[in-house]
Amino acid sequence: MMDEKDWEEFKRKLKAKTEIDLDLYKEPQMKRRIGNLVTRAGMDSYCAYFDQAAKDKDDFASFIEYLTINVSEFFRTPEKFGKLETDVIPDLLTRSSKLNIWSAGCSIGAEPYSLAMIMKEMTPNVRHRILASDLDVEILAKAKRGIYTDNELKAMTPQRRAKYFDVVEGDKYAVKQEIKDCIEFKRHNLLKDKFEEGFDLILCRNVVIYFTEEAKDQLYANFFKALKPGGILFVGATEAILNFRKLGYTSFQPFFYQKPLT
């Protein structure tokens, strides 16, 4: 029976097994999202579904992937990636020749690999640091493998596709080793783990959709501390930070927020 007691017990079990704290997510949306899974599985409670999924590693991995909304593609919203190339990264390079970049909530790896391609083209002889993190270890494993479908590459130019990928398995594409070598992958829980500091650029896009407003504010405050003076936070196209001034940021451009230099 999907009642409040069942929901509380489900949250406790999930947190104990995965460190995912659903109290930091919007409850109605998460109940609906998980309730759909419970119904489709023919179960009568959240806990029954959890217990069943937890018996099988692949089933549980699929559940966590669904829960953490791992949808991504290369150069997602190309016009915003264009702004990275023409405006944001050139500004950052005026202050540092080697950039420290963090793709937070990197999902299947499309975002950090896209960044690596941009940096290789803009500064071919410089090795920047690109950290890519995610909560989901199964998704991180997929990101490290670096094999993608045609649909995940749909926003990429044919020139980049030919330059940075090898065709494998007929209709799949593998990121070339020179790009894979640019990325440092790490498991990280944005709502729990300590943040590194000293980043020039942080990307956190299409990650916070189900976070509570309090959790978002704490996250953006933590990103602010993690940025260097002059560093920039890049968020998703539906995730404008309305209270960015209160959090200390200035607006560099829409969806790009800068930590003041002084």
Side-chain angles (χ1 to χ4, degrees):
M1 183 179 186
M2 288 194 286
D3 57 18
E4 200 57 35
K5 185 178 178 182
D6 175 46
W7 175 248
E8 291 299 321
E9 179 63 11
F10 169 82
K11 289 193 297 181
R12 186 196 66 75
K13 288 185 172 191
L14 181 69
K15 187 175 180 180
K17 186 173 176 67
T18 68
E19 299 181 354
I20 297 173
D21 185 355
L22 287 186
D23 286 334
L24 299 172
Y25 293 71
K26 296 174 182 174
E27 185 170 289
Q29 289 90 333
M30 294 310 289
K31 274 187 172 179
R32 184 170 63 248
R33 190 170 176 81
I34 298 164
N36 288 338
L37 285 179
V38 175
T39 302
R40 288 209 302 262
M43 302 288 179
D44 61 0
S45 72
Y46 296 111
C47 286
Y49 174 80
F50 182 91
D51 292 343
Q52 182 64 36
K55 291 177 183 176
D56 183 276
K57 182 182 176 184
D58 291 339
D59 286 349
F60 196 74
S62 296
F63 163 57
I64 297 301
E65 182 175 349
Y66 176 84
L67 193 64
T68 53
I69 321 153
N70 285 299
V71 178
S72 190
E73 63 187 54
F74 283 78
F75 297 93
R76 186 170 181 170
T77 52
E79 68 279 7
K80 295 300 176 190
F81 262 92
K83 293 294 183 185
L84 267 183
E85 292 185 72
T86 59
D87 300 349
V88 176
I89 291 170
D91 179 76
L92 296 172
L93 288 171
T94 63
R95 290 183 293 281
S96 179
S97 60
K98 291 185 178 181
L99 300 185
N100 190 15
I101 301 171
W102 181 16
S103 172
C106 69
S107 184
I108 60 174
E111 181 176 273
Y113 287 137
S114 297
L115 278 166
M117 294 170 198
I118 288 173
M119 300 313 298
K120 192 164 278 290
E121 290 169 6
M122 293 184 70
T123 53
N125 300 314
V126 180
R127 184 171 178 84
H128 304 276
R129 182 188 183 220
I130 302 176
L131 172 66
S133 71
D134 203 275
L135 174 65
D136 186 341
V137 291
E138 298 290 335
I139 284 297
L140 278 176
K142 178 176 179 177
K144 290 176 185 177
R145 285 194 298 272
I147 297 175
Y148 299 96
T149 64
D150 187 66
N151 190 54
E152 288 160 343
L153 274 59
K154 64 187 179 185
M156 184 181 295
T157 64
Q159 293 83 357
R160 277 179 169 153
R161 184 182 299 206
K163 186 174 182 180
Y164 297 119
F165 291 85
D166 294 316
V167 180
V168 293
E169 302 171 24
D171 60 347
K172 300 270 180 67
Y173 298 82
V175 179
K176 289 191 174 180
Q177 194 62 43
E178 64 174 308
I179 296 298
K180 292 176 81 171
D181 289 344
C182 297
I183 314 299
E184 173 189 333
F185 286 103
K186 174 184 174 184
R187 184 184 185 273
H188 184 270
N189 185 338
L190 287 169
L191 296 177
K192 177 178 177 289
D193 295 337
K194 185 177 179 180
F195 286 25
E196 289 186 35
E197 296 185 1
F199 289 102
D200 298 282
L201 174 64
I202 298 174
L203 297 88
C204 185
R205 307 171 67 227
N206 311 296
V207 172
V208 305
I209 180 171
Y210 292 133
F211 288 8
T212 64
E213 292 308 311
E214 293 77 13
K216 286 182 192 176
D217 282 353
Q218 186 59 58
L219 178 67
Y220 294 140
N222 289 340
F223 282 147
F224 187 85
K225 292 176 189 173
L227 286 167
K228 290 179 185 175
I232 289 176
L233 170 64
F234 178 21
V235 302
T238 60
E239 298 169 336
I241 306 173
L242 301 180
N243 62 336
F244 67 88
R245 290 186 186 87
K246 183 180 176 184
L247 293 167
Y249 295 94
T250 60
S251 177
F252 184 83
Q253 285 190 12
F255 308 104
F256 293 95
Y257 301 92
Q258 189 164 34
K259 182 173 183 173
L261 279 163
T262 54

